[in-house]
Amino acid sequence: MANHRPTVSPEFMQLVADQHQQLRSFVRALGVDADWVDDLAQEVFLVAWREQQSFDTQRDVGKWLRGIARNLVRNEVRKRQRQKRFLHQGLTELLIDAVPAKPLAWEESDTSVLRDCVEQLAPKSRKLVSGRYRDGWKAPDLADHFGMTPAAVRQALGRIRQQLKQCVELRMVEG
């Protein structure tokens, strides 16, 4: 029995070579842990290879690959099976929505933008973010610690996430 392995065309190999670095930067900008960026980029190229017959050559191939990456990251977040790949699910979801689909140099998409935005928050907001996203506290724990109701904590975190999203978007546009 012969082992049949599909071959990869030279054109597809060139696509990978041309797009690999920008795709890695984009995946990292979505909040994927640095240790998993290469794995997710490889998954993107595998999906692209399997679906290459459906790609319209008149379209922007980088945008197509970034769309695949965005969907794979979103699926990972939803499954919650491999949370170790992400800085934190809530932050990754925020970054998926905040990071534009255009290619960015790594320096422009560095997570330091988000850190700077967090530093601009009011002290109590920073502590809420830290408790939730760094320490993994749930709303009831935060509510007890801050003398709030769990609903008020969730509402405050929602407002803070929106504020951070706007800050990141502004920084990306300014950059």
Side-chain angles (χ1 to χ4, degrees):
M1 187 165 159
N3 183 8
H4 176 67
R5 283 177 39 193
T7 58
V8 178
S9 70
E11 294 83 10
F12 191 80
M13 290 181 72
Q14 187 61 48
L15 166 86
V16 171
D18 292 346
Q19 297 290 324
H20 188 259
Q21 190 58 41
Q22 286 182 338
L23 182 65
R24 287 183 77 254
S25 293
F26 180 76
V27 168
R28 182 67 172 118
L30 293 178
V32 175
D33 189 278
D35 293 337
W36 292 99
V37 168
D38 286 331
D39 287 353
L40 276 165
Q42 181 179 6
E43 286 181 50
V44 170
F45 286 118
L46 286 172
V47 170
W49 181 74
R50 284 192 304 263
E51 300 296 326
Q52 63 185 317
Q53 73 282 352
S54 68
F55 176 68
D56 176 3
T57 57
Q58 301 301 313
R59 291 181 49 211
D60 178 356
V61 70
K63 187 174 181 178
W64 180 57
L65 293 171
R66 290 186 300 277
I68 293 170
R70 188 183 301 269
N71 289 335
L72 286 175
V73 170
R74 185 171 275 129
N75 288 341
E76 286 290 326
V77 169
R78 283 186 187 137
K79 289 182 207 174
R80 296 179 185 222
Q81 292 176 347
R82 294 169 237 173
Q83 286 185 345
K84 295 285 183 194
R85 288 186 181 186
F86 303 101
L87 298 173
H88 187 278
Q89 177 187 342
L91 293 177
T92 297
E93 289 171 347
L94 174 72
L95 290 167
I96 286 171
D97 293 334
V99 176
K102 66 180 184 176
L104 298 169
W106 170 243
E107 296 77 27
E108 293 176 308
S109 60
D110 188 24
T111 55
S112 65
V113 171
L114 181 59
R115 280 190 208 104
D116 289 345
C117 290
V118 169
E119 288 301 315
Q120 292 179 9
L121 293 172
K124 185 175 181 179
S125 294
R126 276 197 313 271
K127 289 176 185 173
L128 277 168
V129 167
S130 177
R132 177 65 187 105
Y133 298 115
R134 189 190 68 204
D135 303 331
W137 291 7
K138 302 291 184 201
D141 300 322
L142 289 167
D144 288 343
H145 185 76
F146 288 98
M148 302 167 71
T149 67
V153 167
R154 285 188 287 275
Q155 187 176 34
L157 286 170
R159 284 193 301 267
I160 293 167
R161 282 191 300 270
Q162 186 61 34
Q163 186 178 353
L164 289 172
K165 178 182 177 192
Q166 290 171 349
C167 178
V168 168
E169 287 172 344
L170 180 63
R171 293 286 181 95
M172 293 295 181
V173 169
E174 289 174 348

